[in-house]
Amino acid sequence: MKTNFLKFSILLFAVVISSCSSDDSGSSGDTTTNLPLASGNYWTYDVENEDATGGITSGRDSLFVNGDILISGVTHKKMETLALPNGFYSSTLRNNGLRVDGNTVKISGTASYDLGLGTPINLAITDFIILKENATANEQLSTINGTLSQTISGYPLDFTYVLKSYNVTELASFTSPNGEVYEDVIKTKVVLNLKITTTQNLGGFPVTITVLAPQDVITSYQHYSKDIGMVYTDTNITYELQSIPGVTLPIPSSGSQSQEEFLDTYLAN
């Protein structure tokens, strides 16, 4: 059975399509060197999760390209999974639209942040770059930021977020921790920084309290191999809430988890 923190870590960046249009005014393109997006392509991944106590759970994901979908009038490739995914990467792409724009791959949809409370926090994403070929080392690819509010178990919570993606480096050869060797690999990074506050009535006056000081709660590295796609992901999820005397929030006070996703089988045309 998944714990609240496991839900937090797996679903924090799960993506669902939020809007479609009948006007096709753009093109997704069918292929890109390091992430082939031809319809019918698929990838299966072995997923390993390790919690703060050293406990390990495993799972398996199957991700595939299921034809075209229109988002805001632009053609994207629709990414689907055979079942609810275990891994961060497949959760990110599930029911999402990807499109090739020049030498970049962009994602559009709505990021659904699930803290294990049954009520997701939705963040709209448009043309967020997840991969860029021929980028410079440590080049920032995309950033989005904003705020949103939601009441959870009677507590009004305000979320301030910054989501960024980076090109880390290009590798002529990469050996995955499972021993598989891949050629011409692009290594990227996605970072989610989050701050949470709540406003409480204390002594008859509204007081804003910081629940979660700004911190990187997710850092995920993806490795994309030429003519194959994503071959290995290493994700770390960690956070620690502020201590608030007399206030018990419906969120675990802290959490730490690491996850690895290893490519098993694939079809990439």
Side-chain angles (χ1 to χ4, degrees):
M1 181 178 295
K2 294 183 179 179
T3 64
N4 281 350
F5 181 65
L6 183 59
K7 292 179 182 178
F8 173 84
S9 63
I10 299 299
L11 299 177
L12 188 61
F13 196 60
V15 180
V16 295
I17 293 301
S18 62
S19 61
C20 297
S21 169
S22 60
D23 177 21
D24 183 3
S25 59
S27 175
S28 67
D30 285 341
T31 61
T32 185
T33 303
N34 286 72
L35 184 53
L37 292 176
S39 296
N41 284 358
Y42 68 82
W43 303 263
T44 63
Y45 296 99
D46 293 322
V47 184
E48 294 184 1
N49 296 286
E50 182 175 355
D51 61 27
T53 66
I56 297 177
T57 58
S58 60
R60 185 175 175 83
D61 290 337
S62 181
L63 176 71
F64 62 97
V65 183
N66 191 20
D68 295 341
I69 186 172
L70 293 177
I71 302 176
S72 299
V74 179
T75 302
H76 292 66
K77 289 299 181 179
K78 185 176 182 180
M79 309 300 295
E80 295 187 0
T81 58
L82 291 180
L84 187 66
N86 300 280
F88 174 85
Y89 180 74
S90 293
S91 294
T92 298
L93 300 189
R94 179 175 181 259
N95 293 335
N96 181 35
L98 296 184
R99 72 183 183 97
V100 177
D101 184 9
N103 63 343
T104 68
V105 179
K106 297 179 177 180
I107 183 173
S108 292
T110 301
S112 183
Y113 294 81
D114 190 339
L115 303 182
L117 305 173
T119 304
I121 300 164
N122 298 315
L123 171 63
I125 292 179
T126 302
D127 285 343
F128 185 80
I129 299 172
I130 63 170
L131 177 65
K132 180 180 179 181
E133 296 179 357
N134 301 316
T136 59
N138 300 313
E139 178 181 342
Q140 182 175 311
L141 305 180
S142 269
T143 181
I144 60 172
N145 59 76
T147 60
L148 52 89
S149 300
Q150 187 167 320
T151 298
I152 298 176
S153 298
Y155 287 95
L157 300 178
D158 295 314
F159 299 82
T160 302
Y161 59 85
V162 181
L163 181 67
K164 296 181 179 181
S165 61
Y166 300 85
N167 178 79
V168 177
T169 190
E170 294 187 6
L171 303 168
S173 180
F174 167 70
T175 302
S176 174
N178 66 357
E180 295 291 337
V181 178
Y182 301 98
E183 306 300 325
D184 297 324
V185 170
I186 296 176
K187 181 179 181 180
T188 66
K189 178 173 69 171
V190 174
V191 178
L192 174 66
N193 186 280
L194 192 64
K195 176 184 178 181
I196 305 177
T197 60
T198 183
T199 300
Q200 300 291 316
N201 193 323
L202 301 177
F205 298 94
V207 177
T208 299
I209 302 169
T210 297
V211 176
L212 179 72
Q215 55 194 264
D216 294 342
V217 297
I218 291 181
T219 302
S220 182
Y221 293 91
Q222 284 92 47
H223 299 72
Y224 296 87
S225 180
K226 183 178 180 181
D227 298 327
I228 296 177
M230 203 288 291
V231 298
Y232 173 69
T233 293
D234 179 16
T235 304
N236 288 284
I237 306 99
T238 182
Y239 71 91
E240 185 172 355
L241 302 184
Q242 302 284 92
S243 177
I244 306 173
V247 177
T248 302
L249 292 167
I251 303 173
S253 61
S254 65
S256 178
Q257 180 175 329
S258 61
Q259 182 186 85
E260 293 180 291
E261 298 167 74
F262 302 93
L263 179 66
D264 183 21
T265 63
Y266 69 93
L267 173 66
N269 293 315

